[in-house]
């Protein structure tokens, strides 16, 4: 009986954590459906600790990502290359793609004043 109460408290804690996070609506819907399935499976006795643990880890990971944080654009290729080389060993192809994209963006911004900056999200 006590274990059922503690699991309910843990699920409630996860729900509160999700509500506090600033998540996109489709991601919020996915997490809520995962929690609903977990609750139903706990009531029917088909849930395992692995189910709970994997959902908890996913929610912890998703809520720790800075979805609502924006940074100032660095439009200096030298600084970007130094940062990429300093923080990311190897990955030369990916780093070159990022530098090419940034180069094209800088040239486009210099030649056309009406172009908007494109948002680029990198999770490295």
């Amino acid at each position: 009986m006590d274990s059922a109460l503690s699991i309910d408290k843990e699920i409630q804690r996860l729900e509160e954590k999700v509500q506090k996070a600033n998540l996109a609506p489709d991601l919020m819907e996915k997490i809520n459906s995962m929690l609903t399935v977990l609750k139903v499976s706990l009531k029917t006795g088909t849930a395992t600790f692995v189910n709970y643990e994997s959902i908890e880890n996913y929610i912890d990971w998703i809520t720790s990502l800075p979805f609502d944080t924006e940074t100032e654009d660095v439009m200096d290729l030298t600084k970007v290359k130094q940062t990429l080389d300093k923080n990311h060993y190897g990955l030369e192809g990916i780093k070159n793609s990022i530098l090419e994209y940034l180069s094209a963006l800088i040239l486009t911004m210099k030649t056309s004043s009406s172009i908007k900056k494109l948002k680029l999200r990198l999770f490295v």
Side-chain angles (χ1 to χ4, degrees), residues 1-16:
M1 190 80 167
D2 288 334
S3 64
L5 288 175
S6 65
I7 290 173
D8 286 339
K9 284 183 182 179
E10 286 299 311
I11 291 175
Q12 185 177 8
R13 181 187 64 81
L14 290 175
E15 288 174 336
E16 289 171 2

Side-chain angles (χ1 to χ4, degrees), residues 4-111:
L5 288 175
S6 65
I7 290 173
D8 286 339
K9 284 183 182 179
E10 286 299 311
I11 291 175
Q12 185 177 8
R13 181 187 64 81
L14 290 175
E15 288 174 336
E16 289 171 2
K17 191 173 191 175
V18 168
Q19 294 303 322
K20 288 179 185 176
N22 187 17
L23 301 177
D26 56 338
L27 187 56
M28 185 75 85
E29 183 180 326
K30 177 180 179 178
I31 291 175
N32 286 333
S33 68
M34 291 172 72
L35 287 171
T36 302
V37 168
L38 181 64
K39 286 181 198 176
V40 169
S41 61
L42 285 170
K43 287 180 182 178
T44 61
T46 58
T48 64
F49 181 73
V50 174
N51 293 12
Y52 171 77
E53 190 176 52
S54 64
I55 291 173
E56 179 186 32
N57 289 339
Y58 180 73
I59 290 173
D60 287 341
W61 176 68
I62 287 295
T63 55
S64 70
L65 295 175
F67 285 107
D68 57 348
T69 303
E70 291 187 21
T71 59
E72 197 64 35
D73 292 339
V74 177
M75 302 306 259
D76 181 0
L77 288 176
T78 306
K79 285 184 181 178
V80 172
K81 181 164 178 29
Q82 287 173 349
T83 302
L84 287 172
D85 288 339
K86 176 184 168 194
N87 296 327
H88 306 287
Y89 177 77
L91 306 171
E92 295 305 320
I94 295 169
K95 291 191 281 190
N96 286 337
S97 295
I98 293 169
L99 291 171
E100 287 174 14
Y101 171 80
L102 186 58
S103 299
L105 183 62
I106 291 169
L107 284 174
T108 304
M109 288 173 56
K110 285 182 180 179
T111 59

